[in-house]
Amino acid sequence: MSTEILLSESGDRTQEVPTREITFGWELTLDLYDCDQEAISTEETIRQFGLKLCPVIDMVPYGEPQTPYFGENNAHTKGYSLLQFIETSSITGHFSEGTGAAYINIFSCKAFDPALAESFTREYFGAKQCVARFVTRK
């Protein structure tokens, strides 16, 4: 078993903790900017994204996508959200009509190709900019 060193905000060593050798899952977060306005504002387009991404990353959808619309009190929060359960976890998204941004999280206990997921998502929503973060969860 290996150990991980935890650091305080100032960078001082606080403790060593054992790390698990088993990977629980993988998470990809995508912050998409300057998206196609129609794509991030249309419920059916967002619903279809949840379903179409699944075969791209070799996942199996679990139920239908949920796409509530809310946040109307603030321009930057107004828009659809997405929850698509998959057999190994979930795909979520939040779409800001006011800023033209989309925030996507893909988490799965089954490995997937983050570059493939990023390129599909970026193209699907017509994003001109993307910040991607990929994390292994132990």
Side-chain angles (χ1 to χ4, degrees):
M1 180 174 289
S2 60
T3 59
E4 184 173 326
I5 299 170
L6 299 180
L7 302 176
S8 68
E9 286 184 22
S10 65
D12 297 330
R13 182 185 203 140
T14 59
Q15 64 180 331
E16 287 187 21
V17 294
T19 56
R20 297 178 58 187
E21 297 300 324
I22 298 171
T23 298
F24 183 76
W26 296 266
E27 183 171 21
L28 175 65
T29 63
L30 301 170
D31 298 348
L32 306 168
Y33 303 104
D34 299 317
C35 295
D36 176 270
Q37 193 65 38
E38 186 174 338
I40 66 166
S41 303
T42 306
E43 182 177 19
E44 187 57 27
T45 300
I46 293 168
R47 290 178 56 79
Q48 286 301 310
F49 167 74
L51 296 170
K52 289 179 178 181
L53 177 62
C54 288
V56 169
I57 59 173
D58 194 29
M59 298 295 164
V60 178
Y62 185 83
E64 291 297 313
Q66 299 172 36
T67 52
Y69 187 92
F70 58 97
E72 293 97 337
N73 293 335
N74 294 303
H76 73 281
T77 60
K78 178 176 127 176
Y80 286 99
S81 285
L82 165 72
L83 171 57
Q84 173 63 65
F85 285 109
I86 54 178
E87 286 187 350
T88 53
S89 203
S90 64
I91 299 164
T92 62
H94 305 286
F95 303 87
S96 173
E97 293 177 2
T99 65
Y103 304 94
I104 309 294
N105 289 57
I106 303 165
F107 179 76
S108 177
C109 296
K110 176 184 172 187
F112 63 95
D113 183 337
L116 191 57
E118 177 186 350
S119 64
F120 175 82
T121 303
R122 189 175 188 163
E123 183 176 319
Y124 191 90
F125 291 111
K128 292 183 176 70
Q129 297 175 24
C130 178
V131 176
R133 297 169 196 88
F134 188 66
V135 178
T136 301
R137 309 289 294 270
K138 301 244 181 205

